[in-house]
Amino acid sequence: MANKPGILTNCPWACLGNLKYLVLAPFACHSIYTFFMSKDESERDMFYILLLPLTLFRMVHYQIWISLSRYRTAKGNNRILDRSIEFDQVDRESNWDDEIILFGLVYYIGYLILEQAHHMPMWRTDGIIITALLHIGPVEFLYYWLHRALHHHFLYSRYHSHHHSSIVTEPITAVVHPFAEILAYYMLFSIPVFTTLFTGTASIASIGVYIIFIDFMNLMGHCNFELIPKWMFSIFPPLKYFMYTPSYHSLHHTKFRTNYCLFMPLYDYIYDTMDKSSDTLYEKSLEREAEVPDVVHLTHLTTLESIYHLRLGFASLASKPHTSKWYMLLMWPVTLWSIMLTWIYGYTFVVERNLFKNLKLQTWAIPKYRIQYFMYWQRESINNMIEKAIIEADQKGIKVLSLGLLNQAKQLNSNGELYLRRHPQLKVKVVDGSSLAVAVVLNSISKGTSQVVLRGRLSKVANSIALALCKGGIQVVMLDKEDYKRLKAKLTPEAATNLVLSKCYNVSKTWLVGDGLSKDEQLKAPKGTLFIPYSQFPPRKVRKDCFYFNTPAMIAPKHLENVDSCENWLPRRVMSAWRIAGIVHALEGWNEHECGDMILDTQKVWKASLGHGFCPLTKISAA
């Protein structure tokens, strides 16, 4: 929001929330009806029916740019600014699609009002030339002076400061403006459109290509990585006056009083407002190589919708805990395509980068969904990808690689031990994070608790929790006879005295639960039960009279930078214990792996985590 919001700051449909797209529905329905249902050929107009596909294409175009930009800036090659993007910027830019809605309204209404817009030809060369000349001349010139006016303190504080709140730009930053400012831009960009309409030289191509050109240049200019190759300016040196670069516009967002141009630096040269460091920053950005992190967290896709919740997916969804949305059903064609791609694509990809003090962090993802991890014939493929990621990390000199979610499953690779057996000389430390997960669960149990129920599939974490509780004099109740026998065999005789087999579900209101907890078992728990998960996946919430803790996790300190997305289903700025474990391992400089059956000193790991600013997550929720 601007410092002193002026009139027409918000769009008229802001009150509609997620239903704002309904303002386009009457026009879209009318265009479809008149084209397909009209018996009179003269009433069918190709331009009118193409407005809806063009509007949808613009949204796809925007999303491609935001995904590409986030991927490239996470890798680091050609990155321009190292400053971070946080949740406040994502929230501020979440209404980027308002500009697309306005576009639809303007063009639908314009078509219905202006007779000249009816039955335009598909192509007219003279219209294309006129559009290009009018953009180079009046549009670029007028935009330059409008932009300078918007930097006057009166207009800047009321309107343009909203756009400049984003120091590090993303492609959608390009269209995040107060409503009145967007209207002013539309008046400028309408000059070539109206001129060709009233001179009878307009065509579907001239209008469509002009819109796509503006989007392309606008989105490209707000990327935080440089992608315009040097050879383009070498072949045609005057091009630098007619085409800006992302680094050129980035200086406008960091220095504010230079590089005012729309897409053509020509007027900055003429009026001496070009930043003198433009060429230096351009060359420096082009030469920048991909970043080598200190710590890598290896994750994977979870539900079929999780691809949209990645940081590379939809920014607004990624910035909130993962929950299913009804409108994701409309994305099934894309979802199906992504599933097919996971069968083919066999390499990890960079999802996110962060900075913890001086420690560089990256998150890599295995292109496999959770369901694929339970397919026996997929295990070798998944193990190969994890192994390649570990070898790559070792070759790059990365200090620690932590295994997240099912990448450390016992049935898959014995909690990572498989890779150590194959590569005993690994320098990168492979961490499964079990020690911190155990510590988080133990510290989530209320003081004074004398008895807990342990339910769900037994795992390395579950075994360690049970051992610690039994040694501490807390009774651990098992409800399954086979699990009870397996767990008892791993305990010392002294600790086993506190392991109890019971058929009663009402013995305790503190339940430690893992994967495999059924709905029926939850319904048998007493009212007010605390469900504390020890696995990486939360149980399905079926009780409204009980309380559910998050999966083992902690709140990240403020000095963890560039956090603008949520880790799966966890709240903002909350990280899973398995991910934190890798960071702490590197910060402490521990020279050992944490794989297989190995568990580090949980008390030492817990104190180290607290010492580096991570805080316990005590928030619980009802179903």
Side-chain angles (χ1 to χ4, degrees), residues 104-249:
L105 284 175
V106 168
Y107 276 81
Y108 272 127
I109 295 173
Y111 173 85
L112 295 173
I113 293 175
L114 299 174
E115 187 68 27
Q116 294 89 339
H118 293 191
H119 300 287
M120 288 185 292
M122 186 61 69
W123 178 275
R124 280 197 61 152
T125 304
D126 52 357
I128 296 285
I129 295 172
I130 291 172
T131 299
L133 292 175
L134 288 174
H135 178 84
I136 293 171
V139 173
E140 288 279 351
F141 177 77
L142 291 173
Y143 177 90
Y144 174 84
W145 287 107
L146 171 63
H147 197 178
R148 290 193 66 169
L150 287 169
H151 276 260
H152 183 275
H153 65 84
F154 181 84
L155 292 177
Y156 186 84
S157 61
R158 287 163 175 78
Y159 296 105
H160 202 51
S161 59
H162 179 76
H163 178 70
H164 273 278
S165 297
S166 301
I167 305 298
V168 180
T169 59
E170 293 198 293
I172 53 177
T173 306
V175 292
V176 176
H177 302 278
F179 184 64
E181 195 172 329
I182 297 176
L183 289 176
Y185 297 146
Y186 266 52
M187 290 175 65
L188 277 180
F189 298 142
S190 68
I191 292 174
V193 176
F194 280 127
T195 302
T196 54
L197 282 175
F198 292 135
T199 58
T201 57
S203 66
I204 294 175
S206 67
I207 294 176
V209 171
Y210 185 52
I211 293 165
I212 295 170
F213 164 76
I214 291 173
D215 281 346
F216 180 89
M217 295 298 294
N218 209 8
L219 296 168
M220 180 269 291
H222 285 80
C223 286
N224 188 29
F225 72 97
E226 189 54 75
L227 73 162
I228 306 299
K230 214 170 184 180
W231 60 261
M232 290 180 64
F233 298 103
S234 300
I235 293 174
F236 186 62
L239 184 63
K240 70 176 185 178
Y241 299 109
F242 297 97
M243 180 179 177
Y244 76 165
T245 66
S247 56
Y248 186 93
H249 189 71

Side-chain angles (χ1 to χ4, degrees), residues 356-357 554-559 607-616:
F356 192 97
K357 296 180 180 176
M554 300 180 77
I555 302 171
K558 291 183 178 179
H559 49 262
K607 287 183 178 179
S609 301
L610 296 177
H612 289 293
F614 291 98
C615 299

Side-chain angles (χ1 to χ4, degrees), residues 256-292:
F256 302 104
R257 296 294 181 181
T258 57
N259 297 7
Y260 289 102
C261 76
L262 177 56
F263 308 139
M264 292 170 45
L266 174 65
Y267 297 104
D268 281 315
Y269 279 95
I270 292 174
Y271 298 107
D272 197 27
T273 53
M274 187 202 73
D275 196 284
K276 300 299 186 284
S277 62
S278 297
D279 292 339
T280 304
L281 181 61
Y282 169 71
E283 293 181 4
K284 181 181 176 182
S285 301
L286 277 181
E287 294 169 359
R288 186 165 190 171
E289 297 181 352
E291 190 171 75
V292 177

Side-chain angles (χ1 to χ4, degrees), residues 412-430:
L412 185 68
N413 51 48
S414 299
N415 300 105
E417 189 176 17
L418 172 67
Y419 313 118
L420 298 188
R421 290 200 302 263
R422 290 180 178 177
H423 307 281
Q425 302 303 318
L426 281 176
K427 294 180 181 178
V428 61
K429 302 307 172 188
V430 182

Side-chain angles (χ1 to χ4, degrees), residues 30 32 35 169 235 252 286 306 309 464 492 532 552 573:
H30 182 256
I32 295 171
F35 188 85
T169 59
I235 293 174
H252 177 70
L286 277 181
S306 62
H309 291 262
S464 300
T492 61
I532 306 175
R573 295 196 66 84

